[in-house]
Amino acid sequence: MQRRHFLGTAALTGLATTLPASVLAVDTAGLPNLAAKAVPIGKAERQARIAKAKELMAANDIGALLIEPGSSLIYFTGVQWWRSERLTAAVLTREGEVAIVTPSFEEPSVRESLGIEAEVLTWNEDENPLAAVAAWLGKRGLAKGRIGVEETVRYFAVDGLKKAMPDATVVNGAPVVRGCRMHKSAAEIALMQVAADITLAAYRHTAPRVEVGMTPADIGGLMKAATQALGGQSEFELILLGEASAYPHGSGKPQAVKDGEVVLLDCGATVHGYQSDISRTFVHGNASPRQRQVWDQMRKGQDVAFAAAKLGTPAGQVDDAVRGFYQGLGWGPGYKLPGTSHRTGHGIGLDGHEPVNLVHGETTPLAPGMCFSNEPGIYIPGEFGIRLEDCFYMTESGPQWFSEPPPSIDRPFD
């Protein structure tokens, strides 16, 4: 669970919506299934990913790559599994061979989501799964090779691999995994577009139903019900009201909608594994001049970031451009408050947050297929915060929005 999801959930009154599920279901009965024609990632695309991984392994002198369950395992193999003390993992070689290691009693279940051809290596409870990996790699002449590990692989697996392959060199596999996953294909972008369309449609369904006295749980329940009715899987609903909006990931204090106070919605959907992440901020009732001013400044910050996102530009310079603009308005400087305490944006795809980020010092150049959030929120501790968040992807001609930023505080969902 992501930290913002935890804090958003923890802030919900009673940890559950106070609106009956039956009411939510009836209220969404007329919403269309926007994901009905969405096309999941198929075998051919996963084979192309493995082919690219082969090239990157060769370029980085890596003989094989170890991947634990999670988004990277899904990305390359389709296997949807969880992490436990019993190791399930994939091994890819620079020759394009793939093996899945898993407990013997889990093999039938693991095969259910396996989307490519792969050898399945099983192990019993009294056996060492890393020994099976070592033997398989040894047969391929890699006992003394450079073995990459995906950067989220747990220590016990890395340590076990080193012990099972004492003559091998274990290295970071990020150049291979990031080199593949950072650059989304047309099929991936299409799924992310559907997810964004669903989240926007859910906002437009929810916003007119927000009333004074509603809690974050009430609003989150409306968003979740709408997201599911529209064909998406609800990924998260972070609802921040009043002063809580000044803290990017919320507050545990009780909250309720009040006239003249900020309502900040940060929600996302998943379609065939690919995510959206969109934030909208408005004022219930009439906005004050100060709220309007900060909203307008933050909205212009999005435009500054978008204009700075040029092909070949180091990702960190997008963040720098926004901070320079905000400092000229009196915010900051840098990451100081009041101002923008977090990065301008993060990568997004199978994970809501994935490399690389639009953050000061990031030198990775922007390239076609990269996808980012654009959310340089402005936060005033003790008062309120404004965050608008829209994601974009890089094309051969520059950035393209998944969702268009709203025109004004009075039209936050247009």
Side-chain angles (χ1 to χ4, degrees), residues 338-363:
T340 302
S341 53
H342 57 69
R343 61 203 173 200
T344 291
H346 54 79
I348 185 171
L350 280 169
D351 291 318
H353 290 193
E354 60 183 51
V356 293
N357 299 308
L358 303 178
V359 64
H360 175 71
E362 177 56 63
T363 60

Side-chain angles (χ1 to χ4, degrees), residues 12 37 67-68 83 88 92 123 135 155 167 174 201 211 230 254 276 282 287-288 298 305-307 339 350 361 396:
L12 302 184
K37 296 183 179 180
I67 304 169
E68 273 205 275
R83 297 188 181 192
T88 290
L92 283 61
W123 56 280
Y155 177 77
D167 296 323
E211 299 177 356
L230 289 159
S276 64
F282 62 99
S288 69
M298 199 257 110
F306 193 76
L350 280 169
E396 295 288 351

Side-chain angles (χ1 to χ4, degrees), residues 95-106:
E95 300 302 322
E97 297 172 287
V98 182
I100 306 293
V101 59
T102 193
S104 58
F105 62 85
E106 304 285 25

Side-chain angles (χ1 to χ4, degrees), residues 79-81 102-114 120 122:
V79 172
Q80 300 185 37
W81 206 247
T102 193
S104 58
F105 62 85
E106 304 285 25
E107 179 182 1
S109 302
V110 168
R111 284 188 180 274
E112 287 180 359
S113 57
L114 181 59
V120 179
T122 61

